[in-house]
């Protein structure tokens, strides 16, 4: 489980990462990544009603939080990540979702280095 102090909660933080960060997409999700000046890395999740009902959305969020709990410590300090789940994420199994998150984060990191 991703500890609360690593979770992004401010709407301004979400907007900043989504507007100014690099973007990488997969069929199940879109990852936005931005290097901030903060000492710790953070992750935020956007799961809309298009994904499904409340039970489905909460399952997707729990899966994404578990994936990021493992992935966030491997990222450089000060990395902010927002994951926007797409409707296909509701029918995706955990391993496929994990693979998509890791691939998208790696692609966004490469884009951030090139920018």
């Amino acid at each position: 489980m991703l500890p609360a102090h690593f979770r992004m909660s401010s709407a301004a933080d979400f907007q900043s990462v989504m507007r100014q960060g690099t973007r990488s997409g997969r069929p199940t999700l879109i990852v936005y990544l931005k290097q901030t000046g903060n000492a710790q890395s953070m992750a935020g999740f956007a799961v809309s009603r298009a994904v499904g009902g409340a039970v489905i959305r909460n399952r997707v969020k729990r899966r994404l939080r578990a994936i990021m709990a493992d992935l966030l410590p491997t990222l450089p300090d000060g990395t902010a990540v927002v994951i926007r789940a797409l409707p296909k994420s509701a029918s995706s199994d955990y391993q496929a979702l994990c693979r998509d998150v890791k691939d998208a984060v790696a692609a966004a990191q490469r884009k951030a280095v090139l920018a």
Side-chain angles (χ1 to χ4, degrees), residues 22 24 33 35 74-76 79 104-114:
T22 58
S24 180
L33 186 136
Q35 294 297 328
T74 66
L75 298 175
T79 302
V105 167
Q109 279 185 300
R110 285 191 301 271
K111 288 180 184 178
V113 169
L114 296 175

Side-chain angles (χ1 to χ4, degrees), residues 4-47:
H5 62 276
F6 289 117
R7 290 188 216 159
M8 199 176 298
S9 59
S10 164
D13 290 341
F14 274 88
Q15 284 181 343
S16 172
V17 173
M18 292 177 83
R19 289 185 181 164
Q20 299 169 358
T22 58
R23 176 180 180 229
S24 180
R26 295 293 176 268
T28 57
L29 50 91
I30 298 173
V31 169
Y32 300 89
L33 186 136
K34 179 183 174 190
Q35 294 297 328
T36 63
N38 298 340
Q40 76 179 22
S41 298
M42 296 182 74
F45 309 96
V47 183

